[in-house]
Amino acid sequence: MNLDPKIPDGPLEKKWTTAKANYKLVNPANRRKYSVIVVGSGLAGGGAAAALGEQGYNVKCFCFQDSPRRAHSIAAQGGINAAKNYQNDGDSVYRLFYDTIKGGDYRSREGNVYRLAEVSTSIIDQCVAQGVPFAREYGGMLDNRSFGGAQVSRTFYARGQTGQQLLLGVYQSLSRQIGLGQVKMYNRHEMLDVVLVNGVAKGIITRNMVNGKIERWAADAVVIASGGYSTVFFLSTNAAGTNVSAAWRAHKRGAGFANPCFTQIHPTCIPQEGEHQSKLTLMSESLRNDGRVWAPKKKEDCGKNPKDIPEEDRDYFLERKYPSFGNLAPRDISSRAAKEVCDEGRGVGPVVAGERRGVYLDFRDAIQRLGRKTIEARYGNLFDMYENITGENAYERPMRIYPAPHYTMGGLWVDYNLMTSITGLFAAGEANFSDHGANRLGASALMQGLADGFFVLPYTLGNYLGSIPPGEAGKIDINDPAFADAENAVKESVGKLVSIKGKTSPRSLHTALGKIMWNKVGMARSKESLTSAIDEIRALRERFWNDVLIPGGGDELNIELERAGRVADHLEFAELLCFDALDRNESCGGHFRVEHQTEDGEAVRHDDQYANVSVWEFTGVGNKPKKHVEPLNFENIKLAVRSYK
Amino acid sequence: MSEKSLNLNLRVWRQKNADAPGKFVTYKLDNISPDSSFLEMLDLLNEQLIDSGEEPVAFDHDCREGICGSCSLTINGIPHGKGRMMTTCQLHMRSFENGETITIEPFRAQPFPVIRDLVVNREPFDKIMQAGGFIDQRIGSAQDANALPISKETADKAMDAAACIGCGACVAACPNASAMLFTGAKMSQLNLLPQGQPERYKRAINMVDAMDANGFGNCTNIGECEAACPKGISLDFIAMMNRDYAVAKVKRFFSGAA
Amino acid sequence: MTSLGKKYIMAVSGLILVGFVIGHMAGNLQMFLHPDWINAYAYKLQNLPYGLLWIVRLVLLAAVVAHIVTAMLLVIENRRARPQGYSVDKPIQATFASRTMRYSGVILLAFIVFHILHFTTQHVHPEFRDLYRPLEGVGTIHGAYDLLEATGKNHVHDVYSMVAIGFSAQYWYISLFYVIAMGLLFLHLSHGISSMFQSVGLRNHTWRIRLDRAALVIAIALFVGFASIPVAGLLGILPYQDMVQGVHHMHPPTTP
Ligand SMILES: Cc1cc2nc3c(=O)[nH]c(=O)nc-3n(C[C@H](O)[C@H](O)[C@H](O)COP(=O)(O)OP(=O)(O)OC[C@H]3O[C@@H](n4cnc5c(N)ncnc54)[C@H](O)[C@@H]3O)c2cc1C
Ligand code: HEM
Ligand code: SF4
Ligand code: FES
C-alpha cells in the first residue's frame, strides 16, 4: 500500500501555494471531456460537485436522500470556524492551525491542518457571497462567538442552523450547475461498490432505491464524500441513514482505512428513554456554561425526584474532580466522568435495559442567581426542545444528559491531495481521516467539509485529471469486465440478503451491534472489552447472515433491504474499529484505553510509539486486517500533555 | 417520563408503487411508550409487521430532529401532525390518546406522486431551485465577507426565509397544492440580500415559471401553508414574491422583451 | 397565463368590483331619504354625458368576466393539482370564508344576474317600467333637478317605489334572497378585501392584521348597508313608506 502523504516541501505557510503552483491543469476547452463521480452531496461532496461543474468538468453526483439538500451536514447547529480575526482578539491562521493540532491530541498532519486553517477565511467569503445569512451585528458586520472552549471568537453561525444554511448555500451552487447540465444529480441512489480498472478507480455501481435497478457508472475519477460512521453505535446524534457503506466498500477494494478507533462522544445529549429509541438528540454544549452537573451520592436516591435529594447528598462530580474547569471540562473528559458515575450505579432517569444512564444538568442555581428570564433568553429554545422530547420542564426539574457518539475522526486514508491509496479514488469531508487527529474541535467539521469540497479538491482533482491525456479522457467502457464483475458481486449480495428470509429484523441486529459497540468500544476501551467485542461482533455477523429477515424483494423500494445492507457493512467495519482500538496502546483524544491513564483517570498518550497514523488494509472478512503506519512529523509544534485540572 | 403506554389503531395508506392503486389498512399496535416519537412508533409498527412476515410501511426520514426535511406524513389530516412548528419526527406520542385511531396518509399533490406507501417524490422542489434559487457566483471569486455590510434587520429577515427545510408540508396543507410558500421563501431569502440584487427579477420570473411548469396549484391566500409549516415561514414571503414578480414583468414589458 | 398573473387579475378585478359595491351601497342608502334623492340620482346616472354610463358598465362587465373566467381557471387548475384528496381533511386555521370563495362567488354571480333582471332591465317585473313620479325639489345634491328643469321634464322613473315594492312583503322570498346574497358578499369580501393586497404583494405581517380587520369592518358595513334595504322594504318601515306608489295607481309618463 502506497502511503506517501505527498506533503509539499518548504515552510508550512508556503506548502499550499507551492502545491497549487505545481499542479497540472486541464485546458478549459478539454474539461468537458473529463468526467467525475461524486458520492455524497453534503458540504464536501456537494461543494466539490458544484465547484468541479463550474470549472467545466462533467460531474455525476449521487446521494441516498431524495434531494441533495438533505445530506447530514444539514443537522449541524453550532457554527463554523474561520481564522478571520474579525473580532480583533488575536486569532490568526497559525492559531487556528495550532488549536486544531492540539485539540486533535497531536495525531494529525501539520501540512493538511495548516491548509485547512488557511482556506478557512475564503470559506466565509464564499458563503456570504452566495447568500448564506450568517448572524450579524447592528453595524452590519458578521458576528462571531467562542465555541467549544476556544479562547478566541472565531465561530460564525446562522441561528442554531449553521449546517443547514451552509449546506443550502452548497445546494444552491449545485442546483445552478444541475440546471446548466454540468452536474447530473442522482437522488435516491446508493453507491454499493467502486470499480477499479487495472487498479485505478474508474467508476461505481449503484442501486436505484426506487426501483432496485443496479447500475454501472464510469468516470475518470471518483470522489467519496459519504460522511461519517457514528451509526456503528446504532444510537448516535447522526441521521438515521448515516452509514459506512461507501467508505467500507472502497476499503474492501483496497483503500486504506485510517484510525477507525478515533470516534468522538458528545457529552450533552438527551439520554435514552427506552428500547424504542432510534436516535439521540444533541443539545448545545453551551448549556454547561450555566448548568451544574451532578448525580446522587447514594444509589438509593437514583429513582427519587431530584427535588427530594438534599444538597449534601448530591455529587457535583465535575466540579469535584476538575476544580479549575469544573462543568466546562472538555468533551471527552466530561463524557467519561458521566459514564463512571453511571457505572457505579448512580445514574438517573428511566431504567433502560436494567440501568439508569443519565446525570443531572441543573439550572436551579443559575435561575436563582440570574433569574428565570435570563435563562429563558439564553436557552429557551433548548429547554423547549428538551421538553418536547422528554416531556419534562427543565426550569423546574434538572435536565438529564448523557454522552452519545457524535463524530468520527477516522476514515479513508488520503494523501495531501485527498487521494486514497487507490489511484483515482478521492475522499473528502467526514469520510476521510485527514484533519482532526484523535479529536475534533467544535465547529471544525463544517470548515473541513467546505475546505475539501470548495477549495482543495477543485485543485487536486484537476491535477490528477491533468495526468490523464485528453485523448483518453472519458473513454471508460462500462462493458469492461471490471464493471461486470462489480455489478455481479453487488447483485449477488443483494440477492443473498433478500433470500435469507430468517427471523430477525435488520433493525434489531443493528441495535444489538450498537449495544456491543457502546458498552465495549464506547467511551472506555480495554483489551478485554475489545477482544470480547470482536468475538461478539463475529457471532452477530454470523447470526445476521443466517437469520436476517427482509420482507419483499430487491427490485422495489425496500427500506429494510437498504437498512440491512448498511448493517451488514457495519458488522464488518465494527471489527476493524475494534482491531484498531486494540492495537493503539495509548489513550488519546476520543480513544480512551483504561490501561493507559494516570491515577486520576487522565488519558496517557504514548507519543514514542503512536505519534502516527494507523492505516489498515483489508484482508478478507473475518481476517485480521493488515496494519500500515504513516509516521507524523511535527516540525512546527511541540507535543504537550493536555491538562484540565 | 410518562408511565402509561398506549394502544393504538393505525389507519395507514399502503401503496406498492407509483402505478399501483393504494388503500388504507388498519393495524393494531400496542404498548407504545408515550415518550417515543411518531417515527419511532412507526419503527415499532414495522418491526411488528416484519415479525409477522408482512412488508413494512415505507416512509422517508433521516435526521429525526426536524432539520433535514425528509419526514413527511399527513397525520389525521394535518401535514406533520397537530404539533405546531414541528416536523413529524419531532412529534411525540404523548400527544395521542390511548385507544385512538390515527390516520396516516402521504403528502398529497399532483407534483408529489407517491413512490411507495408514505414516500412521495418531491423533486419538483429541486427543479424550482435549479431554475433560479441561487446566486450566480463563482466559487473562489468572492470579496472579503465584511466588505459589504448588511444591516442586522435585513440579515435576520433573510434568515427567517432561509429557515425553510424544503419538506413540502406547505404544498400538502394547501387545498390547492400550491408551492408558493416554499418558492416565496427561497426567492425572498436571496432577493432580500444585496448579493441577490443583480439577478433579482430574473430569479423571480424563472422560479415562478418553474413552479407553474411543475403543476403546483395557485395560491388563494388561505394561509394553511403557514400554519402547517414546521419552521413558521411567513406568508409575507409570498407577498414579496408577488411584488417582485409583478415588478419583473413590468420591467420586462417596458424593456420590450414582452 | 402564469399563476401569479391570475392572482393579479383576481385582485384588480376584485378591487374594481369592491369599489363599485361601495359606491353602489352609498347610492342605495338614499332609500332612507325622501324619494326625490334616489330618483334624481338614478335619473342623473341614466343621463350621464359622453356615454359614461356605458363606459362604466363595460368596465364592470369586463371586471366581472375577468374575475369569473380567472376564478374558473383557478378552480380547475387547483383541482388538477390535488387529484386525490385526504381521507381526513381538517383545516388548521383557514377561515370558512377563504375556503368557500368559489361557492360564495358562484352564488353571487347568480345573484348579480337576477339583480340586473330585477331592477336594471326590470324583466322580473315589467310593470315596474311604468312607475313614474314628479320630482318635488328635495335632494338637489346631484344636480339632477336642474338637469330636469332644463329639459322641461318633471317626471322621472320612480326607482324609490320600484325598490320598495320589489322588497315588499308580497315578494318576501326576493328580499330573503337578497339578504342571503349579501351575507355571501360579506363572506366573500371578509377574505377578499385583505387577500387582494396580498395578491399584489402589498401586505406584510403587520399590515395583514390591520387589513384583515379592515376587510371585516368593510364587509360588515356592506352587509348592513345593503341588507337594510330589503329588510326595511319587507317590514314596510322605510321612513317615507307612505310615499310609495302602488303599482295599481301608476302615473302615465307625461309627455312635455
Ligand atoms: C447533530 C450534529 C451537529 C453537528 N454540529 C456541528 C457544528 O456545529 N459544527 C461543525 O463544524 N460540525 C458539526 N457537526 C459535524 C458535521 O455536521 C459533519 O461532520 C459534516 O457536515 C459532514 O459533512 P460531509 O459532507 O462529510 O458528509 P454528509 O453531510 O454527512 O454527507 C454525506 C453524503 O453522502 C451521501 N451518501 C452516504 N452514503 C452513500 C452511499 N452509499 N451512496 C450514495 N450516497 C451516499 C449522503 O446521501 C450525503 O449526501 C455536527 C454533526 C451532527 C450529527
Ligand atoms: C361574480 C361572481 C363571482 C365569482 C364567481 C367570484 C369568485 C371568486 C373567487 C373564486 C375568488 C378567489 C380567488 C383568489 O382569492 O385568488 C374571488 C376573490 C375575490 N373576489 Fe370574487 N367572485 C365573484 C364576485 C365578486 C364580487 C361581486 C366582488 C366584489 C364586490 C368580488 C370581489 C373579490 C375580491 C376582492 C377577491 C379577492 C381577490 C384576491 O385575492 O386577489 N368577487 N372571487
Ligand atoms: S415553507 Fe415550510 S412547509 Fe413549505 S417546504 Fe419550507 S419548511 Fe416545509
Ligand atoms: S427526519 Fe429530518 S426533519 Fe424529520
Side-chain angles (χ1 to χ4, degrees):
Chain A
M1 194 174 276
N2 177 10
L3 297 180
D4 176 5
K6 302 213 179 83
I7 298 167
D9 293 333
L12 201 52
E13 314 79 53
K14 290 275 156 55
K15 284 183 194 295
W16 182 228
T17 317
T18 316
K20 285 194 287 187
N22 293 325
Y23 281 150
K24 293 193 196 75
L25 297 173
V26 178
N27 175 335
N30 280 335
R31 289 191 196 147
R32 64 188 160 77
K33 296 182 188 152
Y34 291 83
S35 59
V36 180
I37 283 173
V38 179
V39 179
S41 63
L43 293 185
L52 292 165
E54 215 172 76
Q55 292 183 340
Y57 298 106
N58 265 311
V59 182
K60 292 189 181 73
C61 184
F62 297 82
C63 75
F64 67 75
Q65 289 93 348
D66 69 336
S67 162
R69 67 169 291 150
R70 307 204 202 286
H72 183 55
S73 295
I74 201 119
Q77 303 163 354
I80 177 167
N81 289 332
K84 277 288 196 186
N85 194 28
Y86 281 160
Q87 304 303 319
N88 195 21
D89 58 357
D91 199 11
S92 65
V93 168
Y94 188 86
R95 193 176 286 276
L96 175 54
F97 154 74
Y98 177 83
D99 288 354
T100 308
I101 296 269
K102 179 181 171 212
D105 226 356
Y106 308 95
R107 293 294 175 263
S108 42
R109 280 188 204 134
E110 285 189 346
N112 284 53
V113 175
Y114 193 86
R115 174 179 61 190
L116 175 65
E118 192 180 332
V119 302
S120 69
T121 58
S122 315
I123 294 175
I124 303 304
D125 298 342
Q126 174 61 28
C127 294
V128 166
Q130 273 171 353
V132 171
F134 283 124
R136 289 188 181 258
E137 295 164 348
Y138 282 100
M141 298 292 151
L142 291 162
D143 192 18
N144 293 112
R145 58 182 171 206
S146 141
F147 200 72
Q151 286 171 309
V152 291
S153 288
R154 62 160 76 101
T155 305
F156 294 78
Y157 63 100
R159 296 218 180 121
Q161 321 168 0
T162 317
Q164 189 198 14
Q165 293 315 318
L166 294 174
L167 184 65
L168 291 179
V170 163
Y171 164 72
Q172 289 167 8
S173 297
L174 183 64
S175 293
R176 174 162 170 265
Q177 295 306 317
I178 297 171
L180 292 172
Q182 279 300 129
V183 177
K184 285 223 152 55
M185 186 71 218
Y186 298 92
N187 303 329
R188 295 196 197 267
H189 277 67
E190 188 160 36
M191 174 202 130
L192 293 180
D193 210 349
V194 188
V195 182
L196 308 192
V197 178
N198 303 324
V200 178
K202 289 290 180 191
I204 60 168
I205 306 291
T206 62
R207 177 173 180 275
N208 178 327
M209 294 156 78
V210 174
N211 58 23
K213 247 171 95 182
I214 310 289
E215 287 163 300
R216 310 172 184 186
W217 308 93
D220 295 299
V222 176
V223 179
I224 295 194
S226 55
Y229 51 82
S230 292
T231 44
V232 71
F233 293 98
F234 183 59
L235 286 178
S236 78
T237 63
N238 285 26
T242 312
N243 66 86
V244 77
S245 291
W248 183 247
R249 309 252 169 141
H251 174 63
K252 286 174 93 172
R253 288 276 172 196
F257 209 111
N259 300 335
C261 78
F262 288 161
T263 56
Q264 184 175 72
I265 310 285
H266 198 288
T268 50
C269 301
I270 301 178
Q272 194 182 354
E273 295 278 340
E275 294 283 347
H276 58 262
Q277 201 132 346
S278 59
K279 85 157 279 170
L280 297 170
T281 303
L282 173 81
M283 283 189 303
S284 167
E285 251 175 307
S286 63
L287 287 169
R288 291 200 281 148
N289 291 336
D290 286 311
R292 294 179 71 194
V293 177
W294 64 275
K297 284 185 179 159
K298 302 186 218 144
K299 289 180 195 177
E300 342 39 296
D301 286 349
C302 291
K304 281 192 189 159
N305 184 331
K307 270 204 180 118
D308 304 335
I309 304 176
E311 197 57 31
E312 63 273 16
D313 288 340
R314 299 175 174 200
D315 175 16
Y316 294 90
F317 56 88
L318 284 179
E319 295 170 19
R320 173 170 58 81
K321 285 186 181 169
Y322 308 99
S324 61
F325 272 71
N327 296 299
L328 290 171
R331 286 183 179 180
D332 50 344
I333 290 172
S334 15
S335 295
R336 247 180 349 260
K339 174 181 156 49
E340 278 159 19
V341 163
C342 296
D343 286 348
E344 288 163 20
R346 295 193 285 130
V348 297
V351 178
V352 179
E355 288 177 299
R356 294 182 199 274
R357 294 252 152 219
V359 295
Y360 289 123
L361 178 61
D362 202 335
F363 289 84
R364 184 195 60 187
D365 297 351
I367 290 174
Q368 263 168 20
R369 183 162 37 92
L370 304 165
R372 180 171 161 154
K373 275 236 163 65
T374 313
I375 296 299
E376 233 175 83
R378 284 190 193 164
Y379 311 111
N381 56 343
L382 293 167
F383 278 50
D384 290 350
M385 177 173 94
Y386 180 81
E387 180 162 10
N388 177 40
I389 292 174
T390 62
E392 290 177 4
N393 179 341
Y395 296 104
E396 265 140 40
R397 192 187 167 111
M399 265 184 193
R400 289 171 294 111
I401 55 167
Y402 201 63
H406 177 53
Y407 182 86
T408 54
M409 283 73 68
L412 291 173
W413 181 88
V414 288
D415 62 15
Y416 189 73
N417 299 328
L418 303 186
M419 186 148 90
T420 65
S421 56
I422 296 176
T423 307
L425 182 69
F426 292 75
E430 196 174 336
N432 74 24
F433 89 109
S434 74
D435 297 344
H436 305 295
N439 177 49
R440 172 180 70 83
L441 291 182
S444 281
L446 298 175
M447 171 173 72
Q448 185 223 338
L450 284 172
D452 288 0
F454 274 167
F455 294 105
V456 179
L457 275 177
Y459 289 94
T460 62
L461 205 86
N463 175 50
Y464 172 73
L465 295 173
S467 69
I468 301 173
E472 283 169 34
K475 294 264 162 63
I476 310 107
D477 182 9
I478 56 165
N479 296 314
D480 190 285
F483 278 91
D485 289 352
E487 182 186 316
N488 289 338
V490 165
K491 280 189 170 151
E492 207 172 291
S493 84
V494 168
K496 194 164 156 201
L497 281 172
V498 290
S499 65
I500 297 170
K501 298 277 182 252
K503 287 198 203 56
T504 317
S505 73
R507 186 181 195 266
S508 54
L509 290 159
H510 196 177
T511 317
L513 172 65
K515 277 193 186 137
I516 302 172
M517 294 306 286
W518 182 234
N519 293 333
K520 305 200 157 163
V521 199
M523 277 183 281
R525 301 155 176 181
S526 68
K527 189 168 177 208
E528 296 78 65
S529 78
L530 291 165
T531 342
S532 76
I534 293 175
D535 291 341
E536 287 179 37
I537 292 165
R538 288 182 169 166
L540 189 64
R541 194 163 63 222
E542 175 101 1
R543 191 168 143 223
F544 177 95
W545 286 105
N546 286 316
D547 198 36
V548 73
L549 170 55
I550 302 169
D555 55 353
E556 56 184 332
L557 192 158
N558 189 332
I559 53 172
E560 291 306 318
L561 174 61
E562 292 159 19
R563 196 199 292 271
R566 293 169 191 165
V567 175
D569 289 333
H570 274 314
L571 281 165
E572 292 176 7
F573 167 71
E575 198 178 309
L576 177 69
L577 201 162
C578 295
F579 274 120
D580 186 42
L582 195 57
D583 177 80
R584 190 168 279 274
N585 271 306
E586 65 166 347
S587 294
C588 153
H591 171 63
F592 188 79
R593 283 284 299 267
V594 296
E595 300 94 330
H596 304 279
Q597 54 180 318
T598 63
E599 268 172 26
D600 324 311
E602 298 303 326
V604 174
R605 278 196 338 250
H606 296 305
D607 293 337
D608 47 337
Q609 297 169 58
Y610 291 102
N612 53 37
V613 182
S614 307
V615 190
W616 298 91
E617 182 180 335
F618 183 71
T619 54
V621 177
N623 296 342
K624 192 172 182 315
K626 187 167 167 215
K627 182 182 163 184
H628 301 259
V629 170
E630 182 207 325
L632 291 170
N633 303 319
F634 292 94
E635 293 165 359
N636 298 278
I637 286 184
K638 260 219 195 69
L639 276 58
V641 176
R642 298 194 301 169
S643 170
Y644 296 97
K645 279 275 162 181
Chain B
M1 274 184 288
S2 323
E3 314 298 312
K4 62 179 192 335
S5 67
L6 304 171
N7 299 338
L8 303 164
N9 297 307
L10 303 172
R11 213 173 136 249
V12 185
W13 181 261
R14 301 303 309 258
Q15 182 171 340
K16 186 109 178 110
N17 56 48
D19 307 320
K23 62 171 195 292
F24 282 100
V25 180
T26 303
Y27 303 102
K28 267 192 74 62
L29 187 63
D30 291 343
N31 282 321
I32 292 301
S33 157
D35 288 325
S36 61
S37 74
F38 198 84
L39 294 186
E40 285 163 354
M41 182 276 291
L42 286 183
D43 287 342
L44 295 182
L45 169 69
N46 280 347
E47 291 297 290
Q48 176 177 310
L49 290 174
I50 296 170
D51 278 347
S52 59
E54 285 178 67
E55 295 196 13
V57 179
F59 59 92
D60 269 323
H61 65 99
D62 199 20
C63 75
R64 298 209 174 195
E65 56 182 64
I67 194 73
C68 73
S70 293
C71 60
S72 49
L73 311 190
T74 303
I75 302 162
N76 288 337
I78 302 180
H80 291 308
K82 62 187 159 188
R84 278 295 182 98
M85 295 277 285
M86 61 171 79
T87 54
T88 295
C89 60
Q90 291 174 303
L91 183 66
H92 278 68
M93 294 311 294
R94 66 181 75 87
S95 58
F96 293 88
E97 300 293 322
N98 191 21
E100 192 172 334
T101 296
I102 307 175
T103 300
I104 309 169
E105 298 175 76
F107 279 2
R108 296 208 187 274
Q110 169 70 20
F112 290 171
V114 173
I115 295 176
R116 176 165 195 160
D117 299 335
L118 305 169
V119 176
V120 299
N121 180 356
R122 286 171 286 193
E123 265 171 32
F125 271 9
D126 290 333
K127 297 262 161 55
I128 295 173
M129 292 300 285
Q130 287 154 20
F134 47 76
I135 287 173
D136 197 341
Q137 195 270 335
R138 211 161 254 286
I139 292 157
S141 67
Q143 61 176 356
D144 185 85
N146 259 352
L148 181 63
I150 301 176
S151 76
K152 184 167 162 50
E153 207 186 6
T154 306
D156 283 351
K157 204 158 194 185
M159 182 62 229
D160 288 343
C164 162
I165 57 172
C167 62
C170 44
V171 174
C174 174
N176 311 326
S178 165
M180 298 246 185
L181 193 63
F182 169 80
T183 314
K186 299 315 295 179
M187 183 189 299
S188 301
Q189 179 204 337
L190 303 177
N191 283 3
L192 276 162
L193 292 169
Q195 290 87 353
Q197 296 314 307
E199 294 166 290
R200 178 173 185 171
Y201 296 110
K202 188 171 120 195
R203 178 178 301 120
I205 290 185
N206 290 348
M207 289 180 82
V208 170
D209 286 353
M211 177 178 82
D212 288 354
N214 278 284
F216 291 102
N218 301 282
C219 174
T220 52
N221 306 333
I222 291 175
E224 285 292 273
C225 52
E226 184 188 66
C229 174
K231 297 293 152 185
I233 301 291
S234 158
L235 286 185
D236 288 10
F237 297 118
I238 300 187
M240 278 188 203
M241 170 171 71
N242 294 344
R243 192 165 59 224
D244 280 359
Y245 185 80
V247 174
K249 278 290 186 184
V250 170
K251 280 186 175 236
R252 195 168 269 204
F253 176 77
F254 283 106
S255 73
Chain C
M1 197 197 312
T2 65
S3 52
L4 292 193
K6 287 188 285 269
K7 270 176 90 95
Y8 303 148
I9 293 189
M10 284 313 276
V12 172
S13 56
L15 179 68
I16 295 174
L17 296 176
V18 171
F20 164 75
V21 185
I22 292 175
H24 190 38
M25 178 194 71
N28 291 356
L29 285 177
Q30 296 175 96
M31 282 298 291
F32 292 99
L33 303 175
H34 185 277
D36 264 18
W37 279 87
I38 195 153
N39 286 351
Y41 165 75
Y43 180 81
K44 170 87 185 192
L45 286 184
Q46 293 290 335
N47 293 286
L48 284 175
Y50 317 118
L52 267 178
L53 177 65
W54 277 102
I55 294 175
V56 171
R57 279 180 172 165
L58 280 177
V59 169
L60 285 174
L61 185 69
V64 169
V65 170
H67 200 79
I68 296 170
V69 170
T70 315
M72 272 161 33
L73 285 176
L74 286 176
V75 170
I76 292 168
E77 289 177 10
N78 292 346
R79 288 245 166 94
R80 210 180 287 148
R82 163 80 38 78
Q84 170 140 28
Y86 291 105
S87 95
V88 182
D89 201 355
K90 196 153 58 181
I92 313 171
Q93 55 77 48
T95 56
F96 178 74
S98 70
R99 285 182 294 122
T100 52
M101 287 298 271
R102 53 185 77 164
Y103 307 112
S104 55
V106 166
I107 303 176
L108 274 180
L109 175 63
F111 165 76
I112 292 171
V113 171
F114 176 79
H115 179 55
I116 290 175
L117 293 175
H118 191 204
F119 287 145
T120 309
T121 66
Q122 296 137 18
H123 276 89
V124 178
H125 297 287
E127 61 277 24
F128 286 171
R129 293 177 190 153
D130 300 331
L131 278 168
Y132 279 86
R133 171 201 288 281
L135 290 180
E136 295 170 20
V138 188
T140 52
I141 184 171
H142 318 296
Y145 192 76
D146 307 332
L147 191 75
L148 202 65
E149 288 283 80
T151 62
K153 277 199 237 171
N154 68 341
H155 279 76
V156 293
H157 186 219
D158 187 5
V159 173
Y160 184 83
S161 299
M162 168 175 84
V163 172
I165 299 165
F167 288 144
S168 61
Q170 54 177 322
Y171 304 122
W172 61 270
Y173 43 89
I174 291 185
S175 304
L176 187 64
F177 178 50
Y178 268 76
V179 173
I180 291 173
M182 291 309 107
L184 291 167
L185 183 68
F186 157 78
L187 259 190
H188 202 79
L189 294 187
S190 66
H191 174 70
I193 289 179
S194 172
S195 173
M196 215 153 65
F197 288 88
Q198 169 80 6
S199 292
V200 294
L202 297 176
R203 196 172 83 168
N204 62 23
H205 191 76
T206 333
W207 275 96
R208 177 151 134 217
I209 299 157
R210 295 177 189 158
L211 286 166
D212 280 350
R213 293 286 179 275
L216 199 65
V217 169
I218 298 175
I220 291 175
L222 283 169
F223 174 73
V224 173
F226 273 126
S228 61
I229 300 166
V231 169
L234 183 69
L235 302 178
I237 53 169
L238 283 167
Y240 293 87
Q241 190 75 39
D242 51 338
M243 293 183 70
V244 176
Q245 314 180 63
V247 184
H248 45 276
H249 51 87
M250 287 173 193
H251 293 261
T254 45
T255 32

